Amino acid sequence: MATTTRAASAPTAAAPATTATLQDFFELEALYTSEERLIRDSVREFVRAEILPQVGEWWQDGHFPADLPRKFGEMGMLGVTLPEEYGGAGASATAYGLLNREVEYGDSGMRSFVSVQSSLVMYPLFTYGREALKRAWLPRLASGEAIGCFGLTEPDAGSDPGAMRTRCRRVGDEWVVNGVKRWITSGSTSHVAVVWARDEEDGTVRGFLIETDTPGFSAVDIKTKASMRASVTSELYLDDVVVPDASRFDVTGLRGPLSCLNQARYGIAWGVLGAGFACLEEAAAYVEDRPVFGMPLAGKQLVQASLADMFSDLTKGALLAYHLGRLKEQGKDTPARVSMAKRDNVRTALAAARSARDLLGGNGITTEYGAIRHMLNLETVATYEGTDTVHTLVLGREITGHNAF
Ligand code: TGC
Ligand code: FAD
């Protein structure tokens, strides 16, 4: 039988995969509506023109550009699922997911801004706010003229927000709020803060929209981050801050803040795929051009195994996110489903970023490439909005019925 021998330096090379085939191997494209595609495409173009060329430098400098919120607003990227009368676009949950994925292809910190503004500020305001409060703030938040933040975590209450020490006390038609919130995205740049506090009277958790120029309110940035460097993260201090009762949300208990987290975690389950695919694309292009031992890295079996794992896991993550989106549009985004998608897709994206960084060798530790920036950002994403462990325990409770927190 004739045998064919192949020179070690000349493996057969089919055409390398394109962005479209890498990012949509199972042809989800056909399942999106034309509006969803339009939103995705316009955000993709924006991210490639306005974010990608400069984000490495912003990250290195620990800088979030002050003009970005307005640009996001002009693009219609803030509160996209809300009705048009409040500044939204009435878009689907899937459109919101696609938008997050495109933004996080650029940087997780940029997606954080969009998540907080849309899911953690505009969502509770729309869902639990009085009509006058909604009319006053939602259009400004949608346009990016106003920035919002979400204060749940405290120095001694992160995974267990029920341990919060921030207190509120009713005095006539007003409330007095005291406490400290830590790790708050967009904290020092915000015009309004959603703040969760425990009622001194009856122990109930209540939520307020607080204008950040109210006397007694201050914010100080956390400057020592080795992750999410292109995002503002602050500590909030509330010292006898007086809030009108009209700014109190119509919800009580931990259900209030946790329902907001359900929205943001959903967006993260989509968003991290953007960071993961950016890493896969970067690594695939790099290994094609990088010669080792007389041939491109791309021709080495172990390199291909690494790429294949990234490709396969990210593709499965995309299928999960898509299906969760369609379930959400039917009101079936149960917290445990969202926990599974957040936990699994963050793990997948983080593993992809670590593999990409490895394949880039020494170049992989510089911010001239995206891999290490994405990798370090994703360490935060695995921690915020419920740590990997918290979501593991949510799933454990779903299976066994036992609360193991
Ligand atoms: P538990 O007894 O389970 O629930 C209390 C009430 O809340 C309801 N609930 C939810 N509702 C909607 N969505 C969810 N995901 C919900 N999870 C629970 C639940 O039905 C119940 O309602 P009700 O009416 O019966 O009272 O609460 P628990 O105290 O046992 O806590 C459970 C646990 C540990 C899962 C929860 O505390 C938790 O999720 N901890 C993690 C905290 C967290 O994720 N913090 C995130 C802070 S914000 C942030 O990180 C922003 S980063 C943004 C960015 O930059 O992108
Ligand atoms: P802890 O709760 O102290 O957890 C420490 C470790 O203990 C973790 O590994 C955790 O998984 C583990 N652990 C916890 N409980 C258990 C258990 N029962 N069994 C076993 N292990 C357990 N919060 C906001 O409110 N608003 C924001 O905008 C916001 N933005 C953020 C931005 C950044 C960059 C970061 C880093 C955080 C942000 N957070 C925000 C806070 C974030 O949600 C918390 O950091 C997160 O919920 C974890 O809380 P913690 O840091 O107090 O860690």
Side-chain angles (χ1 to χ4, degrees), residues 111-112 115-116 120 150 152-153 158-159 161 185 254-255 258-259 261-262 265 335 384-386 390 394 397 403 405:
R111 198 269 308 134
S112 265
S115 287
V116 170
L120 297 181
F150 179 88
L152 177 64
T153 306
S159 298
T185 301
L254 272 183
R255 191 173 63 84
L258 294 181
S259 66
L261 299 187
N262 220 42
R265 290 167 178 172
Y384 71 24
E385 293 283 358
V390 160
V394 169
R397 181 169 66 181
N403 193 341
F405 291 105

Side-chain angles (χ1 to χ4, degrees), residues 297-380:
L297 260 179
K300 298 292 182 191
Q301 289 180 348
L302 290 178
V303 169
Q304 292 190 6
S306 180
L307 293 172
D309 283 347
M310 294 160 76
F311 185 32
S312 187
D313 291 343
L314 287 165
T315 299
K316 286 186 281 183
L319 293 168
L320 177 62
Y322 174 77
H323 191 66
L324 180 63
R326 292 303 183 217
L327 286 176
K328 184 169 173 58
E329 286 153 16
Q330 302 165 51
K332 295 179 179 171
D333 54 327
T334 61
R337 283 178 175 157
V338 173
S339 278
M340 182 183 282
K342 193 268 183 184
R343 172 182 182 263
D344 219 65
N345 283 2
V346 173
R347 282 184 175 190
T348 294
L350 190 47
R354 286 173 178 156
S355 295
R357 199 226 59 73
D358 169 53
L359 290 175
L360 266 65
N363 285 324
I365 68 142
T366 72
T367 51
E368 283 160 42
Y369 293 86
I372 197 161
R373 178 172 51 79
H374 284 301
M375 186 190 98
L376 291 169
N377 283 341
L378 287 164
E379 291 289 344
T380 282

Side-chain angles (χ1 to χ4, degrees), residues 36-210:
E36 287 163 353
R37 268 184 243 127
L38 193 68
I39 291 172
R40 192 266 323 268
D41 290 345
S42 64
V43 176
R44 179 172 290 182
E45 208 176 303
F46 171 82
V47 168
R48 283 161 207 239
E50 302 279 341
I51 292 180
L52 277 177
Q54 302 171 79
V55 70
E57 211 173 303
W58 296 337
W59 196 93
Q60 186 97 27
D61 296 345
H63 175 63
F64 176 81
D67 59 349
L68 269 184
R70 290 254 191 192
K71 289 184 179 175
F72 289 154
E74 279 161 23
M75 289 295 299
M77 289 162 60
L78 305 173
V80 72
T81 58
L82 296 188
E84 286 179 26
E85 61 174 312
Y86 295 106
S92 67
T94 301
Y96 177 55
L98 285 164
L99 184 158
N100 277 291
R101 179 168 155 175
E102 292 306 322
V103 176
E104 200 153 352
Y105 184 92
D107 190 81
S108 301
M110 305 293 130
R111 198 269 308 134
S112 265
F113 179 90
V114 173
S115 287
V116 170
Q117 186 94 345
S118 303
S119 290
L120 297 181
V121 178
M122 297 176 76
Y123 170 82
L125 178 53
F126 176 71
T127 311
Y128 306 124
R130 318 259 172 97
E131 194 56 32
L133 200 63
K134 293 201 248 196
R135 300 266 169 210
W137 285 103
L138 282 174
R140 294 176 62 195
L141 289 160
S143 69
E145 176 197 338
I147 298 173
C149 64
F150 179 88
L152 177 64
T153 306
E154 301 184 358
D156 294 318
S159 298
D160 180 14
M164 72 174 71
R165 291 183 185 170
T166 300
R167 292 287 180 266
C168 57
R169 185 176 78 248
R170 187 165 189 152
V171 183
D173 277 348
E174 294 173 330
W175 292 81
V176 181
V177 184
N178 278 289
V180 179
K181 297 288 176 182
R182 185 161 166 83
W183 299 114
I184 308 306
T185 301
S186 307
S188 66
T189 52
S190 285
H191 302 85
V192 284
V194 169
V195 173
W196 302 94
R198 208 173 269 290
D199 190 332
E200 279 179 13
E201 187 89 8
D202 60 8
T204 307
V205 171
R206 300 186 187 281
F208 302 88
L209 189 79
I210 302 182

